[in-house]
Amino acid sequence: MEIRKREPQRRELAVEEQGQALEFLLANVKGKSRNAVKSLLTNRQVLVDGQVVTRHDTPLAPGQVVTILPPGAPAPADLPFPICYEDNWLLAIEKPAGLLAVASDKERERTAYRMVLDHQRAKDERAQLHVVHRLDQDTSGLLLFAKSREVKEQLQKDWERAVKERVYVAAVSGAPKERQGVVRSFLKETTTHLVYSTNDPRGKEAVTEYQVKKSSNGYSMLELFLHTGRKNQIRVHMKDLGCPVVGDRKYGGEKSPIGRLCLHASRLTFTHPVTGETISLTSRKPRDFNRLFREKEG
């Protein structure tokens, strides 16, 4: 009879008192010397709420979960962008400009979806991930995922009702005639995937509310409130205003002096599909947007 050696298992420990990582491990990991416990941190075997920690003085707070990985288990790779929200059902990141949200015909691997999925599966090989909504490749900001197909489908089914607030920040060329207003139109798409506004009600109704936050040097900073979530809605409506998004060559914008499309998903408020709580996520405006308002001075 063959006796199989039992593989070491990962351990999860709840933090009940405020403290630091090393003292917590020393108190909760039995049968190991102080140096062996320190090596858990050095070898990237310790996670706090799913994130690798290596510092002995990493602060811990009640309610956090410390995970100890067995020797040789892959630790989650450091993501090149922050996770700004995570619970048992949902996860949200701040996607950088230039990164695809999901795979395309030209790129299958280097996507926000694949990076987050690999990160999650390093912690739990059974982890699932599903995209709830999309961001254009060149748009930065908040991107929401669901951890199960059921939660994804429930949230998407009730999306218009569940989403209380969806706000973007954009730097545009010129300035709208009015400091605030609403752009309404019906959107259609050509065979070459160019979206355009029309009065034809057979198109998809799109409504964008805007407020000008500042204007100088030939640019304006706008806060944009989406009442609908259509493909390229903001980009088309800014073109309709005569103020295309900076860097949006597809919809009449000038070449970006800062090398990116100046559109950022900055706030998302929605009803949690499982708990019913109101979740409000925020992502600060990219600092490089401010360079537009300095570079032409002088």
Side-chain angles (χ1 to χ4, degrees):
M1 176 179 174
E2 180 183 2
I3 299 177
R4 294 185 180 180
K5 184 179 179 181
R6 185 177 180 182
E7 295 295 329
Q9 300 295 309
R10 56 191 287 150
R11 294 180 60 193
E12 292 190 349
L13 305 168
V15 179
E16 296 179 354
E17 298 180 0
Q18 193 165 343
Q20 295 183 346
L22 180 58
E23 64 184 33
F24 177 86
L25 293 171
L26 289 170
N28 289 276
V29 178
K30 307 301 182 182
K32 289 185 179 290
S33 68
R34 185 180 181 88
N35 284 339
V37 171
K38 285 182 177 180
S39 71
L40 294 174
L41 291 161
T42 304
N43 295 333
R44 297 173 59 84
Q45 289 175 248
V46 179
L47 315 179
V48 176
D49 288 345
Q51 303 298 309
V52 174
V53 299
T54 58
R55 291 178 59 95
H56 297 177
D57 60 352
T58 299
L60 300 179
Q64 291 186 305
V65 175
V66 173
T67 303
I68 302 172
L69 300 177
D78 292 331
L79 289 169
F81 43 75
I83 292 175
C84 57
Y85 179 82
E86 184 174 7
D87 61 25
N88 291 333
W89 305 279
L90 299 171
L91 183 150
I93 66 168
E94 295 186 61
K95 187 187 82 69
L99 179 66
L100 283 167
V102 296
S104 68
D105 292 339
K106 296 181 180 179
E107 178 59 63
R108 307 295 301 177
E109 295 298 323
R110 191 179 179 277
T111 67
Y113 169 81
R114 173 53 60 184
M115 290 177 182
V116 176
L117 180 60
D118 288 346
H119 182 270
Q120 294 296 102
R121 285 187 172 169
K123 297 184 291 181
D124 179 357
E125 63 183 13
R126 299 168 299 174
Q128 298 182 44
L129 197 70
H130 302 271
V131 178
V132 175
H133 66 105
R134 305 273 178 107
L135 285 183
D136 291 341
Q137 180 175 2
D138 295 323
T139 301
S140 59
L142 297 168
L143 182 62
L144 184 64
F145 299 95
K147 292 184 177 181
S148 72
R149 184 174 297 278
E150 293 77 16
V151 170
K152 170 206 169 184
E153 291 176 351
Q154 183 177 346
L155 191 51
Q156 288 183 332
K157 178 181 178 182
D158 298 332
W159 187 248
E160 294 299 327
R161 181 190 60 82
V163 174
K164 309 298 182 184
E165 193 177 39
R166 197 171 178 186
V167 182
Y168 285 69
V169 173
V172 303
S173 298
K177 293 180 180 179
E178 304 293 335
R179 297 287 296 179
Q180 62 183 32
V182 177
V183 184
R184 297 175 183 270
S185 69
F186 294 95
L187 299 183
K188 288 188 172 183
E189 188 172 357
T190 68
T191 55
T192 57
H193 307 296
L194 189 71
V195 181
Y196 63 96
S197 284
T198 175
N199 293 322
D200 187 347
R202 290 175 295 179
K204 295 181 179 179
E205 185 181 26
V207 182
T208 306
E209 182 180 353
Y210 70 89
Q211 292 181 1
V212 178
K213 308 306 287 186
K214 66 177 178 179
S215 296
S216 66
N217 302 327
Y219 299 112
S220 294
M221 193 80 75
L222 271 60
E223 191 169 40
L224 302 149
F225 304 83
L226 270 63
H227 294 271
T228 57
R230 308 304 185 194
K231 177 182 177 181
N232 292 167
Q233 173 178 326
I234 291 174
R235 297 166 66 178
V236 174
H237 279 174
M238 293 305 97
K239 177 184 179 182
D240 293 346
L241 277 179
C243 303
V245 176
V246 174
D248 191 1
R249 306 302 293 273
K250 184 175 181 179
Y251 292 103
E254 64 177 76
K255 182 178 179 179
S256 176
I258 63 173
R260 60 157 293 179
L261 179 76
C262 294
L263 184 60
H264 181 76
S266 63
R267 192 157 70 247
L268 179 64
T269 302
F270 61 95
T271 301
H272 196 291
V274 178
T275 68
E277 296 178 277
T278 296
I279 306 296
S280 187
L281 310 178
T282 58
S283 174
R284 297 182 64 178
K285 174 192 67 186
R287 293 181 179 179
D288 53 1
F289 281 21
N290 293 322
R291 288 169 46 198
L292 297 169
F293 299 85
R294 294 196 299 265
E295 291 185 349
K296 289 190 176 183
E297 294 175 347

